[in-house]
Amino acid sequence: MTVEITFLPNNKKIAVKPGTTILEAAGKARIQIRSRCGGNASCLMCKVTVGDSALLQPITENEARKLGDLAEQHIRLACQARVTGDVTVIIPEDPLRAAVRAQLAKQQEEDKLW
């Protein structure tokens, strides 16, 4: 038996065994999720938004403590969240990439004024 994870914004799908972490599945799908701690829930860089938290194993006390109020917003640590059913995962844009994109958009707006 497998479950399907859909990663957005890439819209890439991968089938994995139930109990696989989102971070492990992303690696198999060749989708990069930022992480420095090797999946030990210590760097907190691998935050993702999940479409339906009910399709994941329940959040552990340790993960809930680290996420705080973010857990109520369907945000999970990809290294800790284990899938139990088909789920959609939204990967946030890398902060550096977002800053570059914002700067380029600003420059394009300024160029239009001239």
Side-chain angles (χ1 to χ4, degrees):
M1 178 181 156
T2 61
V3 296
E4 185 175 84
I5 302 176
T6 304
F7 290 99
L8 299 178
N10 316 54
N11 204 31
K12 191 163 189 179
K13 299 177 184 206
I14 187 167
V16 297
K17 292 180 182 178
T20 303
T21 68
I22 292 172
L23 187 61
E24 291 167 341
K28 290 178 184 176
R30 296 184 181 194
I31 293 174
Q32 186 175 9
I33 295 179
R34 295 172 12 141
S35 177
R36 267 192 249 167
C37 68
N40 295 315
S42 60
C43 72
L44 306 180
M45 292 177 68
C46 66
K47 291 185 216 82
V48 295
T49 303
V50 293
D52 187 351
S53 296
L55 300 171
L56 302 174
Q57 288 181 358
I59 191 167
T60 64
E61 186 179 320
N62 182 40
E63 183 184 4
R65 188 173 45 254
K66 291 182 180 205
L67 286 174
D69 293 340
L70 294 176
E72 296 171 10
Q73 300 170 29
H74 299 283
I75 294 177
R76 295 287 301 266
L77 295 177
C79 68
Q80 300 298 298
R82 295 185 179 276
V83 295
T84 59
D86 297 349
V87 68
T88 299
V89 176
I90 302 168
I91 301 171
E93 187 175 21
D94 178 91
L96 178 58
R97 193 170 282 176
V100 169
R101 184 182 46 74
Q103 185 63 34
L104 289 173
K106 182 179 175 184
Q107 286 176 345
Q108 287 176 344
E109 285 299 315
E110 290 173 356
D111 288 347
K112 288 180 184 177
L113 297 175
W114 298 107

